[in-house]
Amino acid sequence: MKKKITLKTIAKELDVSVSTVSKALKNSSEISLDTREKIQAFAQLYNYRPNNIAISLKNRRTKNIGVIIPDIVHHFFTTVFRGIENYANAKGYNVIVCISDESFDKEVINMELLANGSIDGYIMSLAAETQKKGDYSHLISVVDQGIPLVLFDRVTDQIQCDKITINDEEAGYLATKKLIEGGSKHIALVMNENYLNVDAQRAHGYYRALQEAGLKVDDSMILRLPYQFEEEDKSVQFFKHIVIDGLVSVNEVFAIRCMKQLQQLGKKIPEDVAIIGFTNGILSQMANPSLTSVMQHGQRMGEKAAELLIDRVEGQLEDKQMPFRSAVIQAGILERDSTR
Amino acid sequence: MKKKITLKTIAKELDVSVSTVSKALKNSSEISLDTREKIQAFAQLYNYRPNNIAISLKNRRTKNIGVIIPDIVHHFFTTVFRGIENYANAKGYNVIVCISDESFDKEVINMELLANGSIDGYIMSLAAETQKKGDYSHLISVVDQGIPLVLFDRVTDQIQCDKITINDEEAGYLATKKLIEGGSKHIALVMNENYLNVDAQRAHGYYRALQEAGLKVDDSMILRLPYQFEEEDKSVQFFKHIVIDGLVSVNEVFAIRCMKQLQQLGKKIPEDVAIIGFTNGILSQMANPSLTSVMQHGQRMGEKAAELLIDRVEGQLEDKQMPFRSAVIQAGILERDSTR
DNA sequence: TATTAACACGAAACCGTTTTCGTAATCCTA
DNA sequence: TAGGATTACGAAAACGGTTTCGTGTTAATA
C-alpha cells in the first residue's frame, strides 16, 4: 500500500523547500528550469496529486455543490439531477446529493449537514411538507449567510434567490386545451393531495382553459391522490361515479395509474377518455397506449440551475453584485397515442 | 449578510485563546465552568458551527463517500442510491455522486475527480464499457492506495475488494423455471448488447433451467438490445421470425418494450407469451398487464454497500485488518399478471 | 570597482481546527 | 513555609497546501 505523497515529502526528498515545490509544480518562472523539471519529473513519477481538502481550506471554497431533492426514484428529479451533474462536472464541480423524502425535518437536517463549509452553494426543490408548512426559516438563514441558493421547480415567493421553473400555468392551460380541441368536454384534473405550488399553477391553467372554452368548472372533477400507491385507491371510486372524457394529470405516474383503472372499467383510450400527463418519462413512452405528455425538459432545467449557481458562486469571488434571476423553461407537449 | 464566525473570532471577542475556546466548546473539564459557560453562550448566540473542511484536513477524513454509477435515470440504480444515501446519512456521511454514463473514460475521470482527499471511499458499479474493455487499472490504483472500495452489482473478479451482488445465476434459473412451470417451451432471453457480468450470470441460469427441463438450448432465442430505444428495433424482426411462448428479460425496460411489440403482433400476455423481467420498478408495476419480475432489492443492496464501506473506513482508523467480504442479496420473484 | 538589477530560492503567514505540552497561580500537606 | 499537587489556561505544532516577502548570489551596468 502506497503512502500518500505531499509537497513536504517531495521537498524533503529533493532537498528543497515546500514553497519551491509548490511553485515548480505550477510551473512558476520564479523557479529555474532545471529545478522545475526535476521536481515535476519526481512528482509525476510518484503520481503526486494535491490534496483537495487543503486547497479548499486555503481558498475557502470547495468546488462542491449541494443538491437537495424530495425524491430520487422519480423520473423528473432524476433527469434534473443528471443535468446538474453534467454541467457541474464539466466545470470541475462535484455534486453532493441529499434526499429530503418530502419531509421538512429531513430537509432541515440535510441543509445543516452541508452548511458548514462542505459546499459552495445549494440547488434545491422544496419538500412537499415544507411547502405545506410554509416554514422557510432554514432557507432564509442560508441566504442571510450569503450562501448561494438556486430553487428549481418547487419554488416559493418567500425567498429571494435564483429560481428556475417551467411555465406551469401555461403548460396546464395548453394541456387542457389540447384535450378540448380533441373534443373532450368533461375533463378531470388529477393532482397531489399535498399542496405543491407547481400543482396549483397547473390547476390555474386548467381552469383558464375550461373557462375560455365555456366549459363548466367543477371541483368534483378534481381528484387528489397520494404519491404512494394504495390498493383501495381513491381513484377507483372517483371513476365509478364521475363520467369523464378527458383527463389531465400533474405527473405521469398518476396518469398511468388512472389509465389502467379506466381501462379496467372498459374505457378505451383515447376514444372514450383522452389522457395527458406531465413528465415525459419512460413510463409515458412505454405505456399502452403511449402517453401524450408535457415535456418538462428536466435535464435542461438541471443544467440551467447549475449554471445559475456556479455563476453566482464565481461571481461572489470577484465581489460582483448580481441581481436574483428567475429562469423559465418553456414546456412543450409531446403528442403520443393517448389523445386524439 | 452575516460574516462567518470562527474560533478565532470568538477568542478575540472574549479575550481568551483559541485553544480555550476549542476546549470549552467540547465541554472539556480542563476549562473552568465559568469560562465554559461564557464561551458556550457566546457561540450559541452567534450560531457558531465548526468548519467541516478544517476538521477534515485535521482528521484526514471527510465523512464523504463517493458513488459512481453508470446511470441515474434507471430504477435499479436509483433505489440502490437511495439505500446508500439512507445508511450513509444516518451515520453522518455525505454522498457525492458521479455518473459514468456507461463510459470508461468518464469513469476514470470521475474517480480522479474524487481521488484526492474529497472522499473516504468509493461505492461503484462498473460502466458497461469498462466491463467490455476489461481495463481495471484505475480501480487497482485506488485499492493500492488503500482507499476503501465497494463494488456492487456490476463487479469483477479482477479486483480484490468488498463486493455485493444478487444471486444472479440462480435468479436467472428461477425466472426461467417459473416460465417452464407455466408451460412455456420456447423461451427467449433478452439481454444487453454490451457485455455485462450480471447478464452473463443470468444467462447461465437460463441455460441451466432449460437443460434441466430437457428443452432445446438455442442461441437464436437470444435477443441482444441496445439500452437506448431505437425506432427500427431489432426486436421487431426477432419477434416476426421467432416463435416463442415465454420470455425472460434481464431488465424491466426490455421486458416492457418486448411486451408492447408482442401485443402489437396480436399476442396475448400471458396466454400466448409469458414474460418475466428483472428489476421490479415502477414500470413493472404499471405495465398492462403488470409484469412478473425478479426483485433485486436495490435499496437493501445500497444500504449493505454503505455498511460495508463505512465499516471499512472506520476500521481503518483503528488499524484493523479486515478481510474482503462478498455479500449476496437473495433475489425473489414477485408474481404479477404477465406469467401464468 | 562600486552599484544595481535579476535570478533562484526559502521563511513564514495563512486557511480553521485539534491536541499536546508547558507554566503561572493557587491550594493542600507535612 | 517549603514542597508537591491541582487548576486553568495559552503557545505552538500539525493537517497540506498557497502566496507574500525577504535575502543571498550572480550578472549587468556605470
Side-chain angles (χ1 to χ4, degrees):
Chain A
M1 176 174 140
K2 290 185 207 158
K3 272 300 287 176
K4 259 272 160 59
I5 177 168
T6 69
L7 287 189
K8 208 196 277 188
T9 337
I10 304 184
K12 203 170 295 171
E13 214 64 36
L14 260 42
D15 206 41
V16 290
S17 77
V18 176
S19 12
T20 303
V21 178
S22 175
K23 289 171 193 163
L25 292 177
K26 316 208 93 142
N27 222 357
S28 156
S29 63
E30 214 183 322
I31 307 298
S32 73
L33 201 60
D34 255 23
T35 322
R36 253 187 282 168
E37 280 173 350
K38 194 176 58 181
I39 293 178
Q40 287 171 6
F42 189 93
Q44 169 106 40
L45 181 62
Y46 287 96
N47 195 31
Y48 167 78
R49 297 272 176 259
N51 180 315
N52 286 334
I53 298 292
I55 293 178
S56 292
L57 182 59
K58 179 73 186 158
N59 294 348
R60 283 119 137 260
R61 57 191 297 238
T62 58
K63 290 217 146 199
N64 286 157
I65 76 188
V67 173
I68 302 180
I69 50 181
D71 189 4
I72 186 81
V73 188
H74 187 306
H75 191 273
F76 171 65
F77 287 121
T78 254
T79 52
V80 174
F81 177 76
R82 189 205 257 164
I84 296 174
E85 207 262 352
N86 234 0
Y87 188 91
N89 268 21
K91 289 277 186 176
Y93 284 73
N94 281 128
V95 181
I96 300 185
V97 196
C98 292
I99 301 172
S100 67
D101 229 349
E102 303 285 13
S103 140
F104 175 79
D105 289 342
K106 274 205 178 183
E107 190 174 286
V108 173
I109 291 171
N110 282 331
M111 290 198 78
E112 277 284 322
L113 205 60
L114 299 179
N116 314 113
S118 295
I119 55 157
D120 295 340
Y122 295 93
I123 296 178
M124 296 184 57
S125 191
L126 298 170
E129 210 189 333
T130 305
Q131 291 217 322
K132 187 176 176 188
K133 215 171 166 177
D135 182 349
Y136 303 113
S137 45
H138 51 308
L139 300 185
I140 293 175
S141 144
V142 158
V143 173
D144 266 9
Q145 287 171 59
I147 303 175
L149 166 67
V150 175
L151 248 31
F152 75 88
D153 196 56
R154 308 229 200 122
V155 304
T156 171
D157 294 340
Q158 311 277 11
I159 303 289
Q160 302 266 323
C161 67
D162 290 328
K163 288 167 198 168
I164 175 154
T165 53
I166 61 163
N167 49 341
D168 283 293
E169 200 273 348
E170 195 176 349
Y173 169 80
L174 291 174
T176 311
K177 194 169 167 192
K178 170 95 192 107
L179 297 188
I180 294 172
E181 284 170 0
S184 297
K185 297 207 178 323
H186 305 279
I187 302 175
L189 173 66
V190 187
M191 46 201 288
N192 285 283
E193 63 179 7
N194 291 322
Y195 173 81
L196 290 179
N197 70 313
V198 283
D199 287 19
Q201 293 295 318
R202 291 167 196 175
H204 275 147
Y206 161 83
Y207 287 131
R208 181 156 68 91
L210 291 187
Q211 273 162 354
E212 191 182 284
L215 293 173
K216 200 176 63 178
V217 171
D218 182 352
D219 277 355
S220 71
M221 297 293 275
I222 296 193
L223 172 63
R224 293 172 178 279
L225 294 179
Y227 196 79
Q228 290 306 319
F229 183 65
E230 290 162 12
E231 264 326 319
E232 53 350 325
D233 203 290
K234 284 186 196 171
S235 52
V236 179
Q237 289 308 310
F238 183 88
F239 292 127
K240 273 190 187 147
H241 296 308
I242 310 278
V243 178
I244 60 171
D245 56 7
L247 185 149
V248 176
S249 165
V250 296
N251 60 44
E252 64 173 359
V253 175
F254 290 169
I256 300 296
R257 232 193 267 169
C258 292
M259 184 194 285
K260 206 167 167 183
Q261 264 159 20
L262 287 164
Q263 285 170 332
Q264 277 165 6
L265 290 173
K267 303 288 186 187
K268 293 262 174 250
I269 315 293
E271 294 79 2
D272 300 336
V273 184
I275 303 185
I276 186 166
F278 274 71
T279 306
N280 171 34
I282 210 170
L283 217 45
S284 302
Q285 276 171 51
M286 294 294 163
N288 198 358
S290 60
L291 188 71
T292 294
S293 61
V294 177
M295 294 182 291
Q296 296 178 85
H297 303 298
Q299 181 152 346
R300 210 186 300 162
M301 198 157 175
E303 283 162 4
K304 190 72 192 169
E307 185 190 328
L308 289 183
L309 186 74
I310 292 177
D311 256 25
R312 187 166 291 279
V313 167
E314 310 205 325
Q316 251 181 16
L317 295 178
E318 317 158 13
D319 271 326
K320 228 190 270 174
Q321 221 55 18
M322 305 170 86
F324 292 122
R325 290 159 299 177
S326 288
V328 176
I329 305 261
Q330 295 300 313
I333 291 181
L334 181 63
E335 194 163 350
R336 292 216 189 76
D337 303 331
S338 67
T339 48
R340 23 177 211 240
Chain B
M1 175 174 139
K2 290 185 206 155
K3 273 299 289 175
K4 259 277 162 54
I5 178 168
T6 70
L7 288 189
K8 208 196 276 188
T9 336
I10 304 185
K12 203 170 293 170
E13 214 63 37
L14 260 40
D15 209 40
V16 291
S17 77
V18 175
S19 11
T20 304
V21 178
S22 176
K23 289 170 193 162
L25 291 177
K26 315 210 96 139
N27 223 357
S28 156
S29 63
E30 212 182 323
I31 306 298
S32 74
L33 202 59
D34 256 22
T35 322
R36 254 187 279 168
E37 281 174 350
K38 195 176 57 180
I39 293 177
Q40 286 171 6
F42 189 93
Q44 169 105 41
L45 181 63
Y46 287 95
N47 194 31
Y48 168 77
R49 299 268 176 263
N51 181 315
N52 286 335
I53 298 292
I55 293 179
S56 291
L57 181 59
K58 182 74 187 148
N59 294 348
R60 283 120 136 261
R61 58 191 296 239
T62 59
K63 290 218 145 200
N64 286 158
I65 76 189
V67 173
I68 302 178
I69 49 182
D71 189 4
I72 185 81
V73 189
H74 188 306
H75 192 273
F76 171 65
F77 287 122
T78 252
T79 54
V80 174
F81 177 76
R82 189 206 255 163
I84 295 175
E85 207 263 351
N86 234 1
Y87 187 92
N89 268 19
K91 289 276 185 179
Y93 283 73
N94 281 127
V95 181
I96 300 185
V97 196
C98 291
I99 301 172
S100 67
D101 229 351
E102 303 285 12
S103 140
F104 174 79
D105 288 342
K106 274 204 179 186
E107 189 174 284
V108 173
I109 291 172
N110 282 330
M111 291 199 77
E112 278 282 323
L113 206 57
L114 298 179
N116 315 112
S118 295
I119 55 156
D120 295 339
Y122 295 94
I123 296 178
M124 296 185 57
S125 191
L126 298 170
E129 209 189 334
T130 305
Q131 292 215 323
K132 187 175 177 188
K133 214 169 166 176
D135 181 350
Y136 301 112
S137 43
H138 49 310
L139 300 185
I140 292 174
S141 144
V142 157
V143 172
D144 266 8
Q145 288 171 57
I147 303 175
L149 167 66
V150 174
L151 248 31
F152 74 89
D153 196 57
R154 310 232 200 116
V155 304
T156 171
D157 294 339
Q158 312 275 17
I159 302 289
Q160 304 265 323
C161 66
D162 290 328
K163 287 167 199 169
I164 173 153
T165 52
I166 61 164
N167 49 341
D168 284 293
E169 199 274 348
E170 195 177 349
Y173 169 80
L174 291 174
T176 311
K177 195 168 166 193
K178 169 93 193 107
L179 296 189
I180 295 172
E181 284 169 0
S184 297
K185 298 207 177 325
H186 304 280
I187 302 175
L189 172 66
V190 186
M191 47 201 289
N192 285 284
E193 65 178 7
N194 291 323
Y195 172 82
L196 290 178
N197 69 315
V198 284
D199 287 19
Q201 293 296 318
R202 291 167 195 174
H204 276 149
Y206 161 84
Y207 288 130
R208 181 156 66 90
L210 291 187
Q211 273 162 354
E212 191 182 283
L215 293 173
K216 199 176 64 179
V217 172
D218 181 352
D219 276 353
S220 71
M221 296 293 272
I222 296 192
L223 173 62
R224 295 173 177 276
L225 294 178
Y227 196 79
Q228 290 305 318
F229 182 66
E230 289 164 11
E231 262 328 317
E232 50 352 324
D233 203 292
K234 286 187 194 169
S235 52
V236 179
Q237 289 308 312
F238 183 87
F239 292 126
K240 275 192 187 148
H241 296 309
I242 309 277
V243 178
I244 61 172
D245 56 7
L247 185 148
V248 176
S249 165
V250 296
N251 60 43
E252 62 173 2
V253 175
F254 290 169
I256 300 294
R257 230 193 270 170
C258 291
M259 184 195 285
K260 207 168 165 181
Q261 263 157 22
L262 287 164
Q263 284 170 331
Q264 278 165 5
L265 291 173
K267 303 287 185 188
K268 291 263 173 248
I269 315 294
E271 293 78 3
D272 299 337
V273 183
I275 304 185
I276 187 166
F278 273 72
T279 305
N280 170 33
I282 210 170
L283 218 45
S284 303
Q285 277 170 51
M286 295 292 162
N288 199 355
S290 60
L291 188 71
T292 294
S293 61
V294 177
M295 293 182 293
Q296 295 178 85
H297 304 296
Q299 182 151 348
R300 209 186 301 162
M301 198 157 176
E303 283 162 4
K304 190 73 190 169
E307 186 190 327
L308 289 183
L309 186 73
I310 293 178
D311 257 26
R312 186 165 292 279
V313 167
E314 309 204 326
Q316 251 182 14
L317 295 178
E318 316 157 14
D319 270 327
K320 230 189 271 173
Q321 221 54 16
M322 307 169 84
F324 292 121
R325 291 160 297 177
S326 288
V328 177
I329 305 260
Q330 294 301 313
I333 292 183
L334 180 64
E335 193 162 351
R336 292 216 190 77
D337 305 330
S338 67
T339 49
R340 20 178 211 236

